Amino acid sequence: MPIALLERQEEQQPPVPPSGVYVPSVKAGESIFGYLARTRGGFDLPRYRQLIGAANAYKEGDEAAGLAAADATSRANARLLLRNTRIGELRAHPLFVDGLFTLIEQGVDPARAASLEDWKMGDLVDFLLEQPEEAIKSCMTGLSSDLIACVVKLLSNEALIAVSRKIFNPLPGSKVGARGYLGARIQPNSPTDHPDDIRWQVFNGWAFAVGDVLLGTNPVSSEVESVRTVENVLRDTLETFGLADVLPHCVLSHIDIQAEVEKREPGATALWFQSLGGTEGANQTFDVTLSKMLAHAAKRTGRYGLYFETGQGADGTNGHGEGFDMVVHESRKYGFARVLAQYVAQARRGAGKPTAPWVHLNDVAGFIGPEVFRTREQLVRCGLEDIVMGKLHGLTIGLDVCSTLHMEVNLDDLDWCLEQLMPANPAYLMALPTKNDPMLSYLTTAFQDHVRMREQFGYKVDDRMWAFFQRLGVIDESGRPTEHFGDPTWVYLQYRKRKGDVRSNEDILAEGRARMVEVRARGVWLAEGHGASTWELNPALEREIRTLYEDAKKSLFAELPGTFTDTLPGAVAVATRSEDRVDYILHPLSGEQLSRSSLASLRALRDAQAGQYDVQLVISDGLNAWALTDEGHLAPYLERVRTELTAAGYKVAPQPIVVKWGRVRAGYHIGEVLYGSLPDKHSHRAILHIIGERPGSGHHAYSVYITAPTVGTWAQEGLVDHDITRVVSGIADTALFPSTAAVATVNILEQLAPL
């Protein structure tokens, strides 16, 4: 064939569209529904969801779900279509309908909503940018969660900041969430829930005049008695300083656990916490139902109501994406929070109290990992979107500007992110002694970052707490740091004096210094003093934190040695579908499913075991193989847990299963294979999944996920999930001792699967 003819044929071939949602061109004035009619012959729900998703700024989570725009042109065209679409048409075509969506819609003012139906989305954008706060608030109650999600897609970062700076929803009786104020949730997490670790981090925050929103601890143990102990540590600290009516305390266990603590000891709890999802299925992952949350909200008649945490990407990574994008998922969580706040207000009205509810929300932007978004620019975009969506829902919303150690966001990047986000004036930020959380092992906001943000942007602390910090003596009457600024032992001295301690100041301060040494020895980095400026970490502590960060980066890519399986008698080696360590880190789903050859090995093991064992030990490298290979970590746990299991009457499989590149759900997959075909559908069978967890604490800690449903449940593929699993975390020779963790594991198993 002549070359010229070949060239003409090649020219006639249509170009291959790029991967992603491809929208090469749109007609002038065309809406999403007009586009669908022209290109698909009518409404097409999957394509509709794609077009809505394609209007988002790029994030890896949307790409993984097949909802990201193929290129910049497609993104711009998707936004143009959305801008030209009427609000009434969007409301008439929900992206996904379930019980949560129906509940969220009940929280929308129907009269206000009807008045907006003929607006195009572009009209709503212009209204938000041009009108003052009073006018915006007059129509906010008529905006559904999906509309709020859609409008932020059409706003640039600068426009998001401009809108956010107009709208403020302060908590009742406070300046938390008010214009010009930036609050702080002190997050005094401990690797072992040690009371001194928790109390001293509060002292530490107050030494820097930080901590005016909430004392909120993430517990290692969710056992009722353990949670009650932590609640009372926080409660005692507030009551000793006379602050219980100024800010609340909270232990971030499951809301059912908090309710049980309150039942056993009325007054032990203050604010109640729960993570929220954007669909009924996503909430089920947290063991949350709509009826359960509404019932809890209806009981909150006291001063403090409810506290929620959310985060873009959580629903999708938990297997509940349902075909629509992360921004809409996140906005629906805020809609859920708005309805729950309405229920709290109604409960207070019924109790004859002012109806304004103390309900606020924390957007944990960045906690999931690089599968959701990887870069600092995406973290900023996410934070700005979420602040505006929260404010448009009428919520007091704070930010946890954070990153996991496997994201491409480092310590210095977080400083940059804060500087980009702070003009939007969120209600509050997290607050820890350093950026590194000693228990959760992720990066977030340090106490002295708050000092820097206040200095840089002129933000204030809640007036009541600012007056307390002046009485405490860490700042003077003019608001400048005193000689006691950044000295936790000074706050400890005031605490002991209020307790009636009659010892000399010198003796109490000496005791305080000794206590700080003990706290630091448990891996909790208390900040003391400062660098050249009051907002800079002490140089020695700064070097230590950066060393830990580098260790974490190395831990992430550590592999189990080839001889590891040989050290465990009878061990069976399997692997997931991850191609390599990078694939495992960036694509979690690959680490949740087992390879074909591994499935064959497990079936052979199942046949050999013949259903005679109650408990199977599974060991995975997770995100930190060193957690398993460090001396004194794994061996003491395995020895003690086998002893305790046998003593309790359980039959333990002699062959541990070692998973290369394994995530938590890989353990569920193993349980399905080993137990799903057994004949006794009512008997309980357990997987104890030992897995290296998020690095960064310096402990190289691992966790044990305890899952023990019936055989009938194991037989239903995909039914076993996090909602029926319990965890013992932070296990290391420098944190929760392996032998202690083993005892706790068996105690939990006996509750889940009593013999």
Side-chain angles (χ1 to χ4, degrees):
M1 184 178 294
I3 292 177
L5 183 57
L6 278 172
E7 289 176 346
R8 284 196 298 274
Q9 283 190 341
E10 288 174 359
E11 290 173 359
Q12 293 169 2
Q13 295 297 320
V16 177
S19 60
V21 183
Y22 187 49
V23 190
S25 62
V26 298
K27 293 185 178 296
E30 192 170 38
S31 71
I32 285 178
F33 299 100
Y35 180 84
L36 288 173
R38 177 170 63 84
T39 60
R40 296 297 173 102
F43 183 70
D44 181 326
L45 180 58
R47 185 60 175 172
Y48 175 54
R49 290 169 170 171
Q50 288 179 338
L51 292 172
I52 295 291
N56 285 346
Y58 173 77
K59 301 187 189 87
E60 277 77 11
D62 286 334
E63 182 177 58
L67 299 168
D71 51 30
T73 298
S74 296
R75 183 173 298 107
N77 285 334
R79 287 173 174 169
L80 187 58
L81 292 172
L82 181 57
R83 187 179 176 91
N84 291 332
T85 302
R86 287 177 51 248
I87 284 176
E89 287 184 291
L90 288 169
R91 294 212 65 197
H93 295 82
L95 291 159
F96 177 74
V97 177
D98 65 354
L100 179 58
F101 173 78
T102 302
L103 178 67
I104 291 170
E105 288 293 297
Q106 292 173 5
V108 179
D109 183 328
R112 293 290 187 190
S115 70
L116 302 173
E117 284 192 347
D118 289 332
W119 288 24
K120 292 181 180 180
M121 286 300 296
D123 297 327
L124 180 57
V125 169
D126 296 341
F127 179 82
L128 294 176
L129 291 173
E130 295 170 2
Q131 296 300 312
E133 180 180 34
E134 183 179 1
I136 293 172
K137 284 194 169 183
S138 71
C139 79
M140 265 173 23
T141 56
L143 296 176
S144 70
S145 296
D146 286 16
L147 287 177
I148 290 172
C150 285
V151 79
V152 300
K153 298 167 186 275
L154 302 177
L155 297 170
S156 67
N157 284 11
E158 293 74 20
L160 287 168
I161 290 170
V163 172
S164 185
R165 290 177 65 85
K166 292 184 179 185
I167 307 168
F168 296 91
N169 306 305
L171 290 174
S174 80
K175 292 292 187 179
V176 175
R179 186 187 309 273
Y181 285 78
L182 178 67
R185 169 197 151 187
I186 292 183
Q187 183 169 289
N189 292 344
S190 164
T192 58
D193 287 343
H194 196 291
D196 274 358
D197 295 354
I198 294 164
R199 187 178 286 112
W200 273 90
Q201 288 181 80
V202 177
F203 297 161
N204 199 175
W206 287 348
F208 288 101
V210 170
D212 58 339
V213 177
L214 170 66
L215 306 184
T217 300
N218 299 84
V220 174
S221 170
S222 288
E223 295 299 297
V224 172
E225 288 306 311
S226 179
V227 170
R228 180 161 72 168
T229 297
V230 178
E231 293 272 15
N232 280 321
V233 169
L234 299 171
R235 176 189 183 187
D236 165 76
T237 306
L238 289 170
E239 289 181 348
T240 300
F241 284 100
L243 297 172
D245 290 333
V246 176
L247 75 161
H249 67 277
C250 179
V251 176
L252 282 69
S253 62
H254 192 279
I255 194 168
D256 292 348
I257 300 296
Q258 296 163 78
E260 181 62 26
V261 170
E262 184 64 20
K263 179 180 177 181
R264 294 187 187 185
E265 185 181 345
T269 69
L271 190 66
W272 284 10
F273 158 83
Q274 183 55 54
S275 294
L276 297 182
T279 66
E280 281 191 280
N283 281 293
Q284 186 59 47
T285 303
F286 303 128
D287 190 21
V288 164
T289 62
L290 306 186
S291 60
K292 175 186 293 188
M293 289 304 300
L294 293 175
H296 281 310
K299 298 175 184 176
R300 304 303 292 157
T301 59
R303 176 174 178 78
Y304 303 116
L306 295 169
Y307 169 57
F308 306 116
E309 288 195 350
T310 67
Q312 285 195 31
D315 295 350
T317 58
N318 281 320
H320 297 285
E322 306 295 355
F324 64 99
D325 65 89
M326 298 193 301
V327 173
V328 176
H329 270 278
E330 185 71 5
S331 191
R332 288 191 176 191
K333 298 168 195 175
Y334 302 168
F336 192 10
R338 177 167 64 181
V339 170
L340 292 169
Q342 293 168 356
Y343 270 71
V344 174
Q346 182 178 335
R348 289 178 58 80
R349 185 182 304 113
K353 298 179 180 180
T355 58
W358 187 289
V359 174
H360 60 96
L361 185 144
N362 175 32
D363 169 37
V364 188
F367 190 73
I368 303 299
E371 63 269 28
V372 174
F373 48 81
R374 293 174 64 179
T375 68
R376 67 180 193 172
E377 289 79 12
Q378 291 179 42
L379 176 54
V380 167
R381 176 69 192 187
C382 172
L384 292 174
E385 291 168 347
D386 295 350
I387 295 170
V388 172
M389 290 194 296
K391 288 188 174 188
L392 287 175
H393 277 91
L395 297 169
T396 305
I397 181 168
L399 283 183
D400 190 346
V401 185
C402 63
S403 71
T404 60
L405 276 299
H406 55 314
M407 286 176 64
E408 295 176 5
V409 179
N410 60 33
L411 293 163
D412 297 322
D413 289 332
L414 283 182
D415 287 343
W416 180 86
C417 290
L418 287 175
E419 291 173 358
Q420 309 308 305
L421 287 163
M422 285 311 95
N425 203 167
Y428 61 92
L429 298 171
M430 296 299 98
L432 288 80
T434 74
K435 283 184 171 67
N436 198 334
D437 188 292
M439 189 272 280
L440 294 175
S441 299
Y442 78 121
L443 304 178
T444 186
T445 316
F447 295 146
Q448 283 163 277
D449 290 327
H450 281 267
V451 178
R452 178 166 59 92
M453 293 300 102
R454 296 194 308 235
E455 187 78 18
Q456 185 172 348
F457 293 94
Y459 288 137
K460 302 175 185 177
V461 170
D462 181 68
D463 295 346
R464 299 164 304 163
M465 282 301 293
W466 193 247
F468 165 71
F469 294 140
Q470 289 176 320
R471 295 194 304 272
L472 193 61
V474 297
I475 54 172
D476 62 24
E477 292 183 358
S478 65
R480 303 309 301 169
T482 70
E483 69 272 21
H484 304 303
F485 187 82
D487 182 2
T489 62
W490 173 256
V491 183
Y492 178 68
L493 172 64
Q494 312 314 307
Y495 172 79
R496 291 307 312 163
K497 290 296 185 183
R498 288 170 180 264
K499 286 289 189 182
D501 197 326
V502 297
R503 291 177 296 167
S504 69
N505 288 0
E506 290 74 16
D507 286 347
I508 296 174
L509 291 170
E511 179 182 75
R513 287 189 288 272
R515 292 283 180 87
M516 288 183 67
V517 170
E518 293 170 0
V519 170
R520 285 168 171 154
R522 288 189 290 269
V524 176
W525 306 285
L526 299 175
E528 189 175 13
H530 51 78
S533 300
T534 54
W535 56 83
E536 294 177 343
L537 275 181
N538 181 301
L541 181 58
E542 173 79 13
R543 289 191 294 271
E544 183 176 356
I545 295 303
R546 290 187 178 274
T547 298
L548 288 170
Y549 178 79
E550 294 303 322
D551 175 77
K553 285 298 189 182
K554 295 175 183 176
S555 299
L556 278 168
F557 289 93
E559 302 268 12
L560 290 174
T563 57
F564 179 79
T565 304
D566 298 335
T567 65
L568 303 171
V572 176
V574 298
T576 63
R577 296 179 183 177
S578 298
E579 296 178 0
D580 52 31
R581 192 71 184 168
V582 173
D583 183 41
Y584 169 76
I585 290 171
L586 296 182
H587 304 108
L589 187 62
S590 69
E592 295 178 352
Q593 296 293 318
L594 298 164
S595 67
R596 289 185 179 180
S597 60
S598 294
L599 288 172
S601 298
L602 288 174
R603 294 187 187 106
L605 179 63
R606 174 197 62 197
D607 295 342
Q609 290 181 347
Q612 59 185 307
Y613 302 112
D614 305 313
V615 179
Q616 175 66 57
L617 296 173
V618 177
I619 303 167
S620 292
D621 47 9
L623 291 175
N624 188 357
W626 288 346
L628 306 178
T629 58
D630 281 4
E631 187 175 354
H633 277 212
L634 182 61
Y637 176 83
L638 292 177
E639 181 180 356
R640 183 65 180 270
V641 81
R642 285 187 178 276
T643 299
E644 295 291 329
L645 287 168
T646 302
Y650 294 99
K651 297 177 182 178
V652 189
Q655 311 96 338
I657 297 171
V658 178
V659 186
K660 184 177 183 179
W661 302 326
R663 291 186 180 263
V664 176
R665 285 195 175 96
Y668 306 154
H669 199 187
I670 289 170
E672 291 172 353
V673 175
L674 293 183
Y675 301 139
S677 60
L678 297 180
D680 185 358
K681 300 302 180 186
H682 299 292
S683 65
H684 286 266
R685 303 300 172 105
I687 296 290
L688 303 186
H689 192 174
I690 304 158
I691 184 167
E693 291 279 50
R694 296 172 182 262
S697 66
H699 295 291
H700 292 175
Y702 60 91
S703 297
V704 180
Y705 289 82
I706 306 152
T707 313
T710 62
V711 167
T713 301
W714 283 117
Q716 301 177 64
E717 185 177 350
L719 183 60
V720 175
D721 209 345
H722 304 326
D723 59 318
I724 61 171
T725 294
R726 301 281 292 281
V727 62
V728 178
S729 59
I731 307 169
D733 59 346
T734 54
L736 180 62
F737 290 128
S739 57
T740 304
V743 174
T745 300
V746 179
N747 287 341
I748 292 172
L749 180 60
E750 288 180 307
Q751 297 171 33
L752 297 177
L755 293 175

